[in-house]
Structure formats: structure tokens, C-alpha cells
Amino acid sequence: MKHYDYIFAGAGLAALLTAYRMAVSDSFTQKNILLLDPDAKATNDRTWCFWEEGVGEWDSIVYRNWHTAVFANEDFRTELDFDDYHYKMIRGADFYAYVKLELAKHPNIFMVQDKVISFNDRGTDVLVKTTEAEYTCSKLFNSIYCATLPAMQKKYPVLQQHFIGWHIKTDNAVFNPEVPVFMDFSVPQKGNTRFMYVLPFSETEAIVEYTLFSKDLLPEKEYEQAIADYVQQLGAGGYTIVDKERGSIPMTSYRFWNVNSKNIMHIGSTGGWTKASTGYTFKNASKLSKRLVNFLQKDAPLNTFYKVNRFWFYDLLLLDILAKTNKKGGGIFAAMFRKGKAAPVFRFLDEETSLWGDLKVIWSCPKGLFIKALLGRLF
């Protein structure tokens, strides 16, 4: 039975980011690292978007980069002032290729296509079983999502950011390649938080995505009919669907880190690395992977890594509101972006504001909803 210093159960975004940072660090050259995943991570199976100020470390693989975007609802439509921020898009295939190229340079890092079926912290090591083999390791990082953990409790609401997106080419020029649509709440809400999201590549090519923040998924035909209706309202004429993407990202303040042990740590969505209030993952995972690699050099128990901050509580209040009155979501985001100043909101959502900066964003939101949610948590 082969032993590794570190094993990653699942080679998704969080695992690849962390392994990449370990690879480029000088601190892990004597450590054997294994990534296990049944998928080869070779196809363009997803896209990640995030906002960032100025030049960033992933710019070499950024597929598109926008300096403004549209926010809209049934009452107003505004082009957002990003200040020094850019909205960046990375394709899954480009990210996988970039990270795997770096990992291949390091003889102490191995990737194996195999499915992890169980793991167990035995105190002195971790036993990992796959469909094809068994391994032991000193530390295990698990990114295989377990929906039953948050579903088994009632203290923290569990919603989903769920969507279907079409990559389409249209007969008519209906897109502005310089201006994506960040959120368009003008579509029928039907008692939920529903919006359209458009990433344009040219006047006739874009990804058009129908997204909901709610508890329950929809039948596939409902997402696709909404996209078809939206595209026709734009005046697209005929169109060709180049590709489709579907996803469901957990939105919850459930404390995933409480199930970590001395030698097992849950990362990615199953570790609470997704930003609970928005479903955005890339930026959060990039920051946390950097902090994790620094933390590992202290050789401390893995269950001491995570610390709750005030932003966790802000996210919890928003999710409490959306869980009880899901239709209110569009109004909350409209209040945040109504003045068109996106940079302070981005900084707040990135958890990089001072307390005064927090209050300025929070105060722009419907106060009654948040006061009621706060009182519900306190009493």
C-alpha cells in the first residue's frame, strides 16, 4: 500500500489551485502528493468568472476581460462603473491545461484517474480507498461534495445557484462585445430570484445563462424556454447553439469545517469555499488555497485552519431572507447596484472592506428585511 504525504480526493478547482501553489512553492519538494479523480480534466466543462482590480496572477489564461457590465431589472438599466476592477472569464480547459503543465514539471506530484470511495482518519494517518487501489497519507484534502451534510440540519438554510447556459451564435448583431450583462432581473421572477447573465464574445456570439438563487431546481425545459424567449426579445433572429453548460452550486453558511479532523480537511464547495451569498467560487478558492499552503508549512492540525469572520454572518442573513422570501433577491441586488458604483460592492463581496465600508453597502439594502433577519438570528 503506497503512502503519500498529501492526497487530494477529487481534482476540482480547489484541489488544483492548492496543488499548483504547492508545486510552485519551495516548501513541498520533498513531499509526495497525489491527486485522485475519475475525470481526466481535459475538456472545457465549465467557465469561471470573477472581478479583480488591475493585473492578476491568472491573466495569462483569461479568455475575456471586461471593464464594465450592465445591471437591469424591470425598473431601471444601468452600465456599471467598475473603477479599477475588471470582470474576467477563464475557461475550464485553459485552466486545467495550465495547472497540469506546471504539475507535470514536479516528479513528486502525481495525478491518477480513479474514484475515491471512502477515507478514514486513523489518527496517525488517513486510509483512502478507491475503486482500484488503497493508499495511506499523512493529510487528506477532500473536495467531493456531500449534499447530505447541510441537508441533515435546519440551522442554516441551503439554497442553490442553479443555471443552464447556451453558447450561441445569432443571425443578427444583438450583443455588445464590450459590455456583458451582469444581472438582468427584468425576466419574470415567478416567486424566485431569477436573472439572465450574458457573456458576449462578439456582436453575434455569447453565452446566455438563465440563473436562479433558490432551493429547488427546475425542469430542464423551463431554463431553456426562458433563454429562448430572452434571445428572441433581443431580436436575435435565428441562432445556433454551439454548446450548453449546466450547474448547481450550493449557497449555504453551513459550517462545513466543523467536520474537519486533525488529518482530513474538506475544501472547495464541500469545505465552504464557495461565497455563500453569490455562489462565486474562483476568487474565494484562489485566496483560500494560498492561505492553506502557507498554513501547511506550520504543520498544524487541519481542523484549526478555518476562522469565522463577520462576512460569514452577513451571508447568513441574506440567505435567511432568500430562504423565507425568495422573491426579494432581485430587489436586494438592485438596491446594491442602483447607483451604478460597482467597485465598493465588489470589494465588500470579496470581504476586503473595512467595517465602515461594510456598513455603506449594507445600508443601501432594504433595511427592514435585514433587521428582521438579524432579530430572527438573535432571538
Side-chain angles (χ1 to χ4, degrees):
M1 189 183 304
K2 191 164 179 62
H3 181 83
Y4 290 86
D5 294 289
Y6 301 102
I7 289 180
F8 290 86
L13 175 66
L16 290 173
L17 282 168
T18 305
Y20 171 84
R21 297 196 186 285
M22 295 171 81
V24 298
S25 168
D26 292 330
S27 302
F28 299 90
T29 55
Q30 302 303 312
K31 304 291 186 180
N32 287 326
I33 302 167
L34 174 65
L35 293 93
L36 295 164
D37 196 293
D39 188 80
K41 302 298 176 184
T43 61
N44 193 44
D45 59 350
R46 68 195 64 228
T47 57
W48 291 289
C49 289
F50 56 98
W51 48 80
E52 185 173 47
E53 286 186 284
V55 176
E57 66 173 320
W58 303 104
D59 281 1
S60 64
I61 55 170
V62 165
Y63 185 67
R64 286 291 188 277
N65 186 339
W66 298 278
H67 192 51
T68 185
V70 163
F71 181 95
N73 68 3
E74 66 278 7
D75 297 323
F76 74 96
R77 184 180 183 90
T78 185
E79 193 167 307
L80 298 173
D81 178 4
F82 276 21
D83 198 7
D84 291 331
Y85 280 85
H86 295 258
Y87 196 61
K88 302 178 180 182
M89 170 187 170
I90 292 177
R91 301 188 303 175
D94 297 333
F95 174 76
Y96 299 145
Y98 182 84
V99 171
K100 287 167 66 177
L101 181 63
E102 179 61 41
L103 298 185
K105 299 175 184 177
H106 302 267
N108 62 313
I109 301 178
F110 307 88
M111 294 189 72
V112 173
Q113 268 188 264
D114 199 357
K115 182 179 180 179
V116 174
I117 56 176
S118 70
F119 47 81
N120 179 40
D121 189 340
R122 303 191 297 188
T124 56
D125 65 7
V126 179
L127 175 65
V128 182
K129 296 183 179 181
T130 72
T131 55
E132 301 294 335
E134 292 186 3
Y135 306 91
T136 59
C137 62
S138 300
K139 305 291 182 185
L140 174 80
F141 304 103
N142 173 54
S143 58
I144 302 169
Y145 188 69
C146 179
T148 57
L149 286 175
M152 289 170 58
Q153 54 81 50
K154 301 296 182 184
K155 187 174 182 180
Y156 306 110
V158 182
L159 286 78
Q160 302 288 323
Q161 183 202 98
H162 50 107
F163 59 88
I164 284 182
W166 285 356
H167 180 178
I168 64 171
K169 293 184 178 180
T170 61
D171 291 345
N172 300 330
V174 293
F175 305 115
N176 182 344
E178 303 301 320
V179 185
V181 177
F182 185 54
M183 288 177 159
D184 185 350
F185 286 100
S186 66
V187 297
Q189 296 296 284
K190 301 180 181 180
N192 296 126
T193 297
R194 305 183 180 211
F195 60 92
M196 283 297 184
Y197 175 63
V198 181
L199 299 175
F201 306 141
S202 73
E203 292 182 342
T204 57
E205 184 177 5
I207 292 175
V208 182
E209 192 173 280
Y210 186 52
T211 303
L212 289 84
F213 294 169
S214 64
K215 292 180 181 178
D216 302 316
L217 306 189
L218 304 177
E220 182 175 346
K221 63 181 181 181
E222 190 168 343
Y223 300 94
E224 299 205 329
Q225 187 60 56
I227 298 172
D229 292 344
Y230 188 78
V231 170
Q232 288 305 321
Q233 289 171 11
L234 292 177
Y239 57 84
T240 301
I241 301 174
V242 179
D243 201 2
K244 295 182 180 182
E245 182 178 341
R246 181 170 192 163
S248 181
I249 302 167
M251 299 174 67
T252 180
S253 290
Y254 172 74
R255 299 184 179 215
F256 290 96
W257 47 90
N258 283 347
V259 298
N260 293 341
S261 67
K262 175 185 175 183
N263 300 315
I264 296 176
M265 180 176 175
H266 300 274
I267 63 175
S269 291
T270 201
W273 287 25
T274 296
K275 178 66 174 171
S277 58
T278 64
Y280 277 88
T281 302
F282 191 92
K283 185 79 171 287
N284 231 31
S286 183
K287 291 162 68 173
L288 283 168
S289 64
K290 183 181 293 185
R291 187 158 70 85
L292 175 56
V293 169
N294 291 332
F295 173 83
L296 292 176
Q297 296 174 47
K298 302 174 184 177
D299 199 30
L302 294 180
N303 54 7
T304 64
F305 170 74
Y306 208 94
K307 305 295 183 185
V308 174
N309 60 26
R310 65 186 188 276
F311 296 96
W312 173 86
F313 190 69
Y314 301 156
D315 287 349
L316 176 59
L317 294 181
L318 176 61
L319 293 176
D320 279 345
I321 294 169
L322 294 181
K324 294 175 182 176
T325 53
N326 194 245
K327 63 183 180 181
K328 299 291 187 180
I332 293 171
F333 285 102
M336 294 171 72
F337 288 105
R338 185 175 293 274
K339 293 182 179 180
K341 299 290 186 180
V345 180
F346 289 162
R347 198 167 291 115
F348 172 73
L349 293 175
D350 280 341
E351 305 183 1
E352 295 173 352
T353 43
S354 64
L355 184 58
W356 175 241
D358 300 351
L359 293 174
K360 286 195 290 186
V361 174
I362 294 169
W363 200 247
S364 70
C365 297
K367 300 171 185 61
L369 288 174
F370 282 88
I371 291 171
K372 184 177 180 180
L374 175 61
L375 293 175
R377 280 290 160 183
L378 294 178
F379 303 105

